[in-house]
Amino acid sequence: MLKLLSSTSSRVHCLTTPTPSLRIKQEPNSVFYALGRLTGLTQRSPKNSFFRACFCSDSSNGSGSGSGSQPAVEVDEKGAESQSGSDSKASSAIVSTYPKPEDYLTVLALPLPHRPLFPGFYMPIYVKDPKLLAALQESRKRQAPYAGAFLLKDEPGTESSTSSETEKSVYDIKGKELFNRLHEVGTLAQISSIQGDQVILIGHRRLRITEMVSEDPLTVKVDHLKEKPYNKDDDVIKATSFEVISTLRDVLKTSSLWRDHVQTYSQHIGDFNFPRLADFGAAISGANKLQCQQVLEELDVHKRLQLTLELVKKEMEISKIQESIAKAIEEKISGEQRRYLLNEQLKAIKKELGLETDDKTALSAKFKERLEPNREKCPPHVLQVIEEELTKLQLLEASSSEFNVTRNYLDWLTVLPWGNYSDENFDVIRAQRILDEDHYGLTDVKERILEFIAVGKLRGTSQGKIICLSGPPGVGKTSIGRSIARALNRKFFRFSVGGLSDVAEIKGHRRTYIGAMPGKMVQCLKNVGTANPLVLIDEIDKLGRGHAGDPASALLELLDPEQNANFLDHYLDVPIDLSKVLFVCTANVVDNIPNPLLDRMEVIAIAGYIADEKMHIARDYLEKTAQETCGVKPEQVEVTDAALLGLIENYCREAGVRNLQKHIEKIYRKIALRLVREGSSNESVISGEVVQSAEAKAEVDETDQHAAANETAAEVESVGNSSHELKSESSVQTSDQPKDPKDATETEKLKETETSKAVEKVSVDASNLADFVGKPVFHAERIYDQTPVGVVMGLAWTAMGGSTLYIETTEVEQGEGKGALHVTGQLGDVMKESAQIAHTLARTILLEKEPANPFFANTKLHLHVPAGATPKDGPSAGCTMITSLLSLAMKMPVRKDLAMTGEVTLTGKILPIGGVKEKTIAARRSEVKTIIFPSANKRDYDELAPNVREGLDVHFVDDYSQIFNLAFDNNTGN
């Protein structure tokens, strides 16, 4: 007996095709006759023979699993006399199918959500409806194990390619709704086994629903369908079936998904008829459920074979695409594996030949080679750590995480310049020249650097220092650091700590952290390659403080000369000598620096530049830089001194020169644009003139040629002088020919001259300065030409370098006992207290000078300090406020060219103030000739440059009585 085994698939579920074992006696040469007898297409003869078809359903062997069961069909044809013998041989596992399947005209309707069931195949389904499951079990007990399996239609509005319901929700549809959702054509299915809610169905015959019998569970009346008659010898049908077989064999070559089915079918191709072949091809294909349903509904054998052929052809194309994808991936993987194996073999060969060592040996050799030049200079404790880490590296596996940590640690340890110092410059004259080349002024800073060089020359070696340059923005604090490094012949490294809030940026991370790195100082030493660089720490007054610690406290060790000789970085964990490093810090306001940190630094204040210094800086540095940046040649532009002075006084009044540099670059950019525009227009004009002159000359030459030709013709007509005239004409023409090269040369010279004149020099002076930089930003600070009563000029320090301000006092009302003082001008608390002190002291002084004057006792006063939008604070306006109050009380104006500053006490003592240089510059800018300073500030004033002090009458006082005499004794000049 031949059997067609079944296998399980995700696309067709579990399927089997009964392949009968044929023992044919009456027609041994007719294969399709026996198969037709099996399917009921050939009528049996009740008189001559007895036909019996048995379906094996051995549930004990796991037929419901889809792999253990082997349903088979046995066909016997014997006489009536052998019937009892064959019955006695029937196994207990054989279930009699009498009555015949075609006798079942009313069946239970089972919905199939995914694919239809084809005759000869089996399918497992899950029945969640308890009533339906009980009905199936009851049918099986009554020896009527048949039901109708019908494909469920898609819900309207959904795509057929996607399942509209899950298998669980299929059985939520019942009754009339389920009946309307079923396809009419289905399959009569034998209930092979029931295990729990899983039911194994085996397809037998095609059915068509005629009407509904009952709703719960759904029971329908059906008609059994048969294939339309066809000619087995039809060449078209044979050719189509052979093409189906050939395609299935091609699928076998490219895909192993249906290998078992195709192989089994190939072995027993002669045992199938054409309808079963079409069903087999459609069942094993990967087509969607509607295409399979179309094959199931087709009763014409030729059309069914054609539909099946289309499906298996599509399956063949899909198999080819799958094969190409798998081949490409396999080639890629195999190529990478082959390359890897070859590389490993190459490494092994090189290692055996001694041409190459493994990774760990190579790393160790690299680290030792890097350390060898500095081994004698390297401290012993560092050498010990390096040797230990190298030994540890050899014991670690290259794939371990600790290996990478150790490798990075050794990389940092061996790359640092242990004991490697650059040759310093001890030539003071050379250093002075370098500093003067890069910066104008900054005498204090340059003097301190020269002192540092001189001490190093006398000692033979230099020690590191910590210098802090403080001053307004734009005065050259950062740029002077690079010049100092060049003057000292040291490597330069800069890092900014503005907003820094993580201590690890200074001290480094612990090596236990992922991605740990050393601090900025270790990175600095690695970058510069020497142990004595100049390190510029920028914006040290803007240090932050966050959850990661206080960087200002971490800098205490770094900037302490007694501690940085053994600076300990958290990552390296070995002491580093930073005593040779010269630290230069920059800050705008030293008050923001913590006192312990400020105490470790030598502060050099940079007050800013006066107008003369800015002029020199603009001429010697800024203009040259702007010319190079903008591509303008010096001979193409002229900026007058008046223009620069106007730019400095009306646009760039701040202490630094950064804004001045921006304005000069703006001027040169506009000059560059003007030069390009004028050059383009002049070139077009010159080219037009040249073309026009060439055209005019061509017209003249043409006229001369016509005249010569006419003259020649007239002369030819005269017989006597013909030869002579022709000769003279030729000589005339010959004399005219050299004019063309001469004219071309003249044209070229003319063009060169015009081109040179095309771009004229651009001049920038005070009259057209506004065309380049716009309207002036600052105006004259002097409000009054003649100082009125109650108004006095004071001096103030600002972030922009210093300015003059007026203090104004006026009467509000008078009356017995109404003496009071009201202040305005956005004054700070300190300045308000100074006003109260001034009011009290002025009342005392007036009582001494004019005892009969009750002005302050009976007058309400208003004191104002312009401008009101600018916040003001500080004690240095005390003497100015007293003078303003006394001027109003005595009705006496002060000198018009007088300005004063100084803090005053209740007893009239004048205390020192700050910002002497800035206030002096502001007084000069406002054309003040007489200045009053506290006596304690005389030393600060004497340190000013002679050009700052020139033309000023400065008085130093320590008591307000001296100011009173200077302000009110000489009123004649007013």
Side-chain angles (χ1 to χ4, degrees), residues 694-713:
E695 292 176 354
K697 191 162 190 64
E699 292 177 0
V700 173
D701 292 342
E702 187 177 356
T703 304
D704 293 343
Q705 290 176 2
H706 282 295
N710 293 335
E711 185 180 356
T712 303

Side-chain angles (χ1 to χ4, degrees), residues 793-812:
M793 181 185 291
L795 298 175
W797 179 91
T798 65
M800 299 182 68
S803 65
T804 58
L805 55 85
Y806 286 93
I807 294 181
E808 305 172 339
T809 307
T810 185
E811 297 180 11
V812 178

Side-chain angles (χ1 to χ4, degrees), residues 424-428 449-463:
E424 291 197 69
N425 171 39
F426 293 120
D427 189 351
V428 178
I449 298 304
L450 296 178
E451 292 172 1
F452 178 81
I453 295 175
V455 171
K457 183 175 183 179
L458 294 178
R459 294 181 71 250
T461 182
S462 62
Q463 292 294 323

Side-chain angles (χ1 to χ4, degrees), residues 507-519:
K507 300 278 289 181
H509 301 83
R510 301 287 182 185
R511 292 199 305 276
T512 54
Y513 297 131
I514 297 176
M517 288 186 65

